[in-house]
Amino acid sequence: MSIIIGLLIIAIGAFCQSSSYVPINKIKEWSWESYWIVQGLFAWLIFPFLGALLAVPSGHSLMELFSTAPAFNVWMTVFFGVLWGVGGLTFGLSMRYLGVALGQSIALGTCAGLGTIMGPVLLNIFFPEQKPLESLTAAVVIGVVVTLIGIAIIGIAGNMKAQSLSEEEKKKAVKDFNFPKGILIALLAGFMSGCFNVGLEFGKDINFGELTNPMYSTLPATLLVTIGGFCTNAVYCFYQNSKNSTWADYGKGSLWGNNILFCALAGLLWYSQFFGLSLGKGFLTESPTLTTFAFCILMALNVVFSNVWGIILKEWKGCSQKTITVLVIGIIVLIISTFVPELLK
């Protein structure tokens, strides 16, 4: 029963993340770089900080935790957060050129597979005595493969969509639709985004041990990763503000009430995925296989829900029944992939 609860919590977080780009459509008269960094302030600093506080027992502090934890682990967690930040930037571009459904599918699918595998592999380079590779059981690897198959099927549906629609129909569904360019960016986004889970692996022991509720144990590491990502995004967005002369966006006082509200909502929904991941893992402790595979499950469900939103937002409107059938098959394979490791262990 606890496993079902854990998977349900992760699914809720995935649904929230997949919905996080919807509030952005309500932001008025701000350039991309302006609203991206403001929503990032909530998604990568404010809410992760509040979440991390839940892992701090009475009488202690986050500053105490980070100052006493192994410096190497702390900085490696932040470092991979910086690399993940690159993935975050290109992630947004992948949706610009492919749409919410296909952009998230390709990027998150790549992130799911590589993120799950890279964490233990890179951790083994620095801490082989911990035997992190033992977590990559046959069941986990097969689960990753099934997930990638599901993503590939959705990619095929996306290619069918690109070939079947006229240029006018493509632009109507996704204004800047560009399949070749979007695929390359989405693959890069997925690879770099996988660094998030690598950061979590390096920071998984940055907590107060038995004093920390297991459901909150990864939240301090999540904060360190998102701090690194915020730095990357801030540098790029402020550069774009200067390049495009959009600093004036922040001075439009009449828009602040509306835009801050929807940026905060987008940030909260985005952060919910990793808050849910931490809580969900707390219910998966009796299954080491699912604990290792949890990040992949989260990304797979993100893809499922992002395609649901893609259908709602009519990004697949005008596609043939055959294309929609292939899309649905891909979604079903992804849902099945979340249970494969537990069935095979």
Side-chain angles (χ1 to χ4, degrees):
M1 185 63 183
S2 61
I3 289 178
I4 295 177
I5 294 175
L7 292 176
L8 181 61
I9 291 174
I10 292 175
I12 293 173
F15 176 77
C16 290
Q17 188 281 334
S18 300
S19 308
S20 65
Y21 295 92
V22 178
I24 287 177
N25 293 326
K26 300 293 185 179
I27 296 173
K28 301 177 180 178
E29 300 178 33
W30 273 6
S31 63
W32 178 87
E33 56 268 22
S34 298
Y35 74 67
W36 187 254
I37 194 59
V38 174
Q39 70 84 30
L41 182 67
F42 290 97
W44 309 321
L45 291 184
I46 295 176
F47 290 121
F49 173 75
L50 295 176
L53 290 178
L54 294 174
V56 180
S58 178
H60 298 273
S61 68
L62 275 176
M63 185 61 67
E64 174 194 347
L65 174 61
F66 294 147
S67 62
T68 56
F72 178 80
N73 292 67
V74 170
W75 286 110
M76 287 298 283
T77 304
V78 174
F79 171 70
F80 280 104
V82 171
L83 296 182
W84 161 76
V86 177
L89 287 170
T90 48
F91 188 82
L93 289 175
S94 71
M95 287 185 291
R96 174 181 176 181
Y97 295 119
L98 296 177
V100 172
L102 187 56
Q104 287 207 58
S105 297
I106 303 301
L108 291 177
T110 308
C111 174
L114 293 179
T116 301
I117 300 297
M118 286 194 305
V121 169
L122 292 178
L123 197 64
N124 185 69
I125 294 175
F126 297 97
F127 304 106
E129 70 279 2
Q130 297 180 9
K131 299 180 180 180
L133 292 180
E134 291 184 356
S135 65
L136 294 179
T137 62
V140 170
V141 174
I142 292 174
V144 170
V145 171
V146 174
T147 299
L148 294 179
I149 290 174
I151 297 302
I153 294 173
I154 290 177
I156 291 172
N159 188 43
M160 293 169 66
K161 168 187 176 182
Q163 294 178 348
S164 65
L165 300 181
S166 66
E167 287 300 318
E168 182 179 347
E169 288 173 321
K170 293 175 186 176
K171 300 300 182 183
K172 186 175 181 180
V174 181
K175 182 180 178 181
D176 298 316
F177 187 82
N178 187 320
F179 187 73
K181 185 176 183 179
I183 285 294
L184 290 175
I185 292 176
L187 290 174
L188 174 62
F191 175 76
M192 299 304 289
S193 295
C195 291
F196 198 108
N197 196 46
V198 180
L200 291 182
E201 284 292 317
F202 275 94
K204 63 184 178 182
D205 294 325
I206 301 178
N207 52 62
F208 286 96
E210 295 181 355
L211 296 178
T212 297
N213 188 317
M215 292 193 297
Y216 306 139
S217 62
T218 64
L219 294 179
T222 300
L223 171 61
L224 291 175
V225 174
T226 56
I227 286 175
F230 178 82
C231 293
T232 304
N233 281 264
V235 170
Y236 181 79
C237 288
F238 293 154
Y239 166 74
Q240 289 296 317
N241 280 140
S242 297
K243 178 183 177 181
N244 300 326
S245 300
T246 53
W247 287 106
D249 287 347
Y250 305 116
K252 298 176 181 178
S254 60
L255 301 176
W256 270 92
N258 176 85
N259 291 0
I260 288 293
L261 172 63
F262 287 109
C263 280
L265 179 57
L268 176 61
L269 289 172
W270 184 92
Y271 174 65
S272 296
Q273 65 179 315
F274 291 111
F275 186 77
L277 179 64
S278 182
L279 265 61
K281 279 186 173 182
F283 287 93
L284 301 179
T285 52
E286 63 184 62
S287 175
T289 297
L290 281 181
T291 301
T292 301
F293 194 62
F295 182 80
C296 196
I297 291 175
L298 174 65
M299 295 300 115
L301 292 176
N302 280 346
V303 173
V304 170
F305 291 123
S306 68
N307 277 284
V308 172
W309 274 114
I311 294 172
I312 293 174
L313 297 175
K314 300 180 180 180
E315 292 180 356
W316 295 90
K317 185 178 181 180
C319 293
S320 67
Q321 186 62 44
K322 183 178 180 181
T323 299
I324 299 300
T325 299
V326 173
L327 172 66
V328 172
I329 291 174
I331 292 175
I332 292 173
V333 171
L334 284 178
I335 294 175
I336 292 174
S337 73
T338 63
F339 300 99
V340 167
E342 184 65 14
L343 295 175
L344 295 178
K345 72 174 186 177

